[in-house]
Amino acid sequence: MRTKSAITDERTARYVIEKITVDSPLERRLRDETEKLSNGGMISGSDVGRLLGVLAQSIGAKTALEIGTFTGYTALMIAQALPQDGKLICCDVSDEFTRIGRPYWKEAGVETKIDLRLKPALETLATLKPDSIDFAFIDADKLNYEKYYEACLKLVRPGGLILLDNMLWHGDVADPQATDETTTALRNLNQKISQDSRVASVLMTVGDGVMLARRH
């Protein structure tokens, strides 16, 4: 299993994902299949997956949104945390990768909770009603993160949560010498969210950095 942490040493990161936030056998099979892909390292760590489930349950989320589904691991984690009549809207553009996760969703008994929409996420977001979402997770193309965040601020109800993955970007956001377009965009968004009066926020050193914003 690959570790994925921006700041934690290898030994500590392995302790967390192999001893504490351990995937179920089904989740592990999906992870193993994903990690065989050339871009399999994109899959979220089990610590991030477990965090999503715990937070969704903690606010009693019934309607959730995921922007960037890849092979469906985090969708599985969120959907399992929703009530039986809950709904998770997944936004992605790849049938090839999302197809990998669908049998696992079915095996877990959550496929009826998941509404997968294969089109550019901003198009899907434009069709949703304001204040209709309890919980949103953003893990897609980084240069559009700010647009996704602004859209989610309109869609997520007051008291709802928005989470953004990879906000430490391998630690590069803390390196003033890192000035590439993606790092700069994420660094600027971190600063924006931290000062945004519309939310209460915290940047957590989980995985590659998870920004948590609670809408006022």
Side-chain angles (χ1 to χ4, degrees):
M1 181 188 298
R2 303 174 187 175
T3 58
K4 190 174 186 179
S5 176
I7 63 169
T8 306
D9 65 82
E10 180 80 8
R11 182 180 66 177
T12 305
R14 285 200 172 277
Y15 168 76
V16 171
I17 66 174
E18 294 179 357
K19 302 293 185 182
I20 306 301
T21 58
V22 181
D23 283 329
S24 71
L26 184 147
E27 294 157 5
R28 180 58 187 266
R29 284 193 282 114
L30 174 54
R31 177 177 301 282
D32 288 345
E33 184 172 351
T34 300
E35 289 187 343
K36 293 176 183 177
L37 302 172
S38 61
N39 59 348
M42 288 171 49
I43 190 171
S44 293
S46 60
D47 50 351
V48 173
R50 199 68 59 203
L51 177 67
L52 296 174
V54 169
L55 290 176
Q57 284 186 318
S58 72
I59 64 168
K62 185 173 181 180
T63 303
L65 172 67
E66 179 178 70
I67 302 172
T69 296
F70 191 34
T71 62
Y73 173 78
T74 50
L76 174 64
M77 303 302 284
I78 297 169
Q80 289 178 130
L82 300 179
Q84 198 55 44
D85 60 345
K87 184 65 66 177
L88 169 62
I89 300 169
C90 289
C91 304
D92 207 284
V93 294
S94 173
D95 178 67
E96 175 188 2
F97 294 132
T98 56
R99 189 188 303 128
I100 293 172
R102 293 175 208 170
Y104 296 92
W105 298 346
K106 184 175 182 179
E107 185 176 343
V110 299
E111 65 172 342
T112 59
K113 299 182 187 179
I114 298 176
D115 177 6
L116 176 62
R117 304 192 185 185
L118 293 175
K119 62 173 66 176
L122 291 172
E123 294 181 14
T124 295
L125 300 182
T127 68
L128 304 179
K129 296 180 180 179
D131 300 339
S132 64
I133 302 296
D134 300 308
F135 181 92
F137 178 53
I138 301 172
D139 185 15
D141 49 310
K142 309 312 174 193
L143 295 182
N144 273 321
Y145 260 35
E146 184 172 6
K147 292 180 181 178
Y148 298 145
Y149 172 69
E150 287 294 336
C152 285
L153 277 175
K154 298 175 182 177
L155 299 174
V156 171
R157 63 166 171 81
L161 300 180
I162 304 169
L163 287 88
L164 303 90
D165 202 8
N166 304 117
M167 295 300 283
L168 289 176
W169 201 234
H170 323 298
D172 288 352
V173 294
D175 180 0
Q177 302 301 314
T179 57
D180 61 277
E181 187 177 19
T182 300
T183 302
T184 299
L186 294 178
R187 183 187 293 124
N188 290 343
L189 184 55
N190 276 329
Q191 193 69 28
K192 173 179 176 173
I193 295 174
S194 72
Q195 299 174 349
D196 194 341
S197 62
R198 298 170 294 179
V199 300
S201 66
V202 59
L203 178 53
M204 298 178 285
T205 53
V206 176
D208 193 29
V210 178
M211 175 66 81
L212 169 63
R214 180 184 184 274
R215 185 186 163 196
H216 290 315

